[in-house]
Amino acid sequence: MKITSIIGARPQFIKCAPLSRELRKAHQEILIHTGHHYDHDMSDIFFEELNIPKPDYNLGIGSGNHGVQTGKMLTEIEKIVLKEKPDLVLVYGGIQKEAYMLGVPCITLRENTEWMETLEGG
């Protein structure tokens, strides 16, 4: 199965680390980093310390208002999903921005993805 995981902030990095390792044992994972958290202390250190695979795509969204960030994510994630054609899109919950991330697959990938899941803590 081809799975696209979308992450972008510290809570998601922590949730992604163990699941990504397990997914890659039996599936092809395409890792997309939105770039919401982008400096060393808020992003890179988590990839290093938690042994998260290097993202296949880094959108470099960075700072900005919600509309700008959401627009960039819609555009870039749609391009990637149309190219990669995943069977599953996995979005990790955790902070306010994830409401926008959750909307991305629902809006743009509905006809191009078999199903979409959200992973919450607990």
Side-chain angles (χ1 to χ4, degrees), residues 9-42:
R10 292 169 299 164
Q12 299 161 349
F13 303 152
I14 293 166
K15 294 172 188 174
C16 170
L19 185 57
S20 184
R21 283 191 291 277
E22 291 302 313
L23 287 175
R24 289 170 183 249
K25 290 178 181 177
H27 305 284
Q28 178 185 3
E29 183 188 32
I30 305 298
L31 188 59
I32 300 173
H33 185 340
T34 65
H36 170 97
H37 286 176
Y38 50 86
D39 72 17
H40 183 267
D41 290 340
M42 301 229 345

Side-chain angles (χ1 to χ4, degrees), residues 1-6 32 77-91 104-117:
M1 178 180 286
K2 191 174 195 179
I3 300 168
T4 296
S5 296
I6 303 174
I32 300 173
I77 291 171
E78 181 177 48
K79 288 178 192 175
I80 294 166
V81 171
L82 290 173
K83 175 184 172 186
E84 297 289 348
K85 298 179 178 24
D87 300 303
L88 174 90
V89 175
L90 182 61
V91 179
V104 171
C106 293
I107 293 170
T108 65
L109 313 182
R110 180 178 18 211
E111 296 177 16
N112 304 308
T113 302
E114 192 169 318
W115 80 85
M116 193 271 298
E117 293 291 337

Side-chain angles (χ1 to χ4, degrees), residues 27-76:
H27 305 284
Q28 178 185 3
E29 183 188 32
I30 305 298
L31 188 59
I32 300 173
H33 185 340
T34 65
H36 170 97
H37 286 176
Y38 50 86
D39 72 17
H40 183 267
D41 290 340
M42 301 229 345
S43 179
D44 298 342
I45 195 163
F46 289 88
F47 284 83
E48 295 163 9
E49 296 291 323
L50 298 174
N51 295 314
I52 301 170
K54 181 180 177 185
D56 298 286
Y57 298 92
N58 188 324
L59 306 183
I61 300 300
S63 300
N65 67 43
H66 294 309
V68 170
Q69 289 178 321
T70 302
K72 288 179 181 177
M73 283 191 289
L74 283 168
T75 301
E76 297 307 314

